[in-house]
Amino acid sequence: MNTKNTDTQIINEEIVVEPAQEPAKIKTPSARDKITADGKVSVLEIILAARYFLPLITTIGFAIALIFEPEGGSFLDKLVMVFAIIGWISALTVSPIKMLKFVLKSIATGFKIVRGFIPYYGVADLVAAVIGVGLGFVFSVGILAFFPAIFTITKFFNEDKF
């Protein structure tokens, strides 16, 4: 028997150790991925997808109001308000938490910006709180009122944004 040859084979054999793989991040699928997963779209899925794009009606309604400047109580004025209400309700049903986070982040950013301009402590914090919080709140409510589609369309295409 030739035992020397088998010993050589064992000694020359390389042991390959693979590095431990990190666990993969679990990505939540977007609404678009959920709807188009099976390739067949039902009526309910069309309605659910339309919810994400209805807030565009709000922006279109306000653009119409700025262009034509309807008088109070006219048909165009009522139509613009119906467009706005439909868009706001749709936006609130799709992403209320995202919209609330935006308001809170805008308020905090407004405070930090105004606080950065005031070099003294004490009264400066009070002034920064009043002015900065007010400016941040007005900015965020303006964005939510005129452009609510920003929050819903980004959520439709990618759940991880914002």
Side-chain angles (χ1 to χ4, degrees), residues 38-159:
D38 59 355
K40 298 176 184 176
V41 181
S42 68
V43 174
L44 179 63
E45 289 173 334
I46 291 172
I47 292 171
L48 291 176
R51 275 185 333 153
Y52 289 90
F53 294 96
L54 277 177
L56 282 173
I57 293 175
T58 301
T59 306
I60 293 168
F62 280 118
I64 290 170
L66 288 174
I67 292 170
F68 296 111
E69 298 176 1
E71 295 179 17
S74 68
F75 172 75
L76 189 59
D77 184 46
K78 292 177 184 175
L79 181 68
V80 166
M81 288 313 297
V82 167
F83 281 177
I85 290 170
I86 289 171
W88 290 330
I89 290 172
S90 175
L92 284 174
T93 61
V94 171
S95 59
I97 302 296
K98 187 184 288 190
M99 294 166 77
L100 181 63
K101 283 182 184 178
F102 176 72
V103 171
L104 296 176
K105 285 181 183 179
S106 296
I107 289 173
T109 304
F111 174 77
K112 289 177 186 175
I113 289 172
V114 173
R115 181 65 187 99
F117 287 116
I118 304 173
Y120 303 106
Y121 291 103
V123 176
D125 291 332
L126 180 63
V127 170
V130 171
I131 294 174
V133 167
L135 289 174
F137 183 75
V138 167
F139 171 76
S140 63
V141 169
I143 295 295
L144 289 175
F146 292 103
F147 307 109
I150 293 172
F151 303 98
T152 60
I153 292 175
T154 56
K155 187 172 182 178
F156 179 76
F157 287 110
N158 190 358
E159 285 283 326

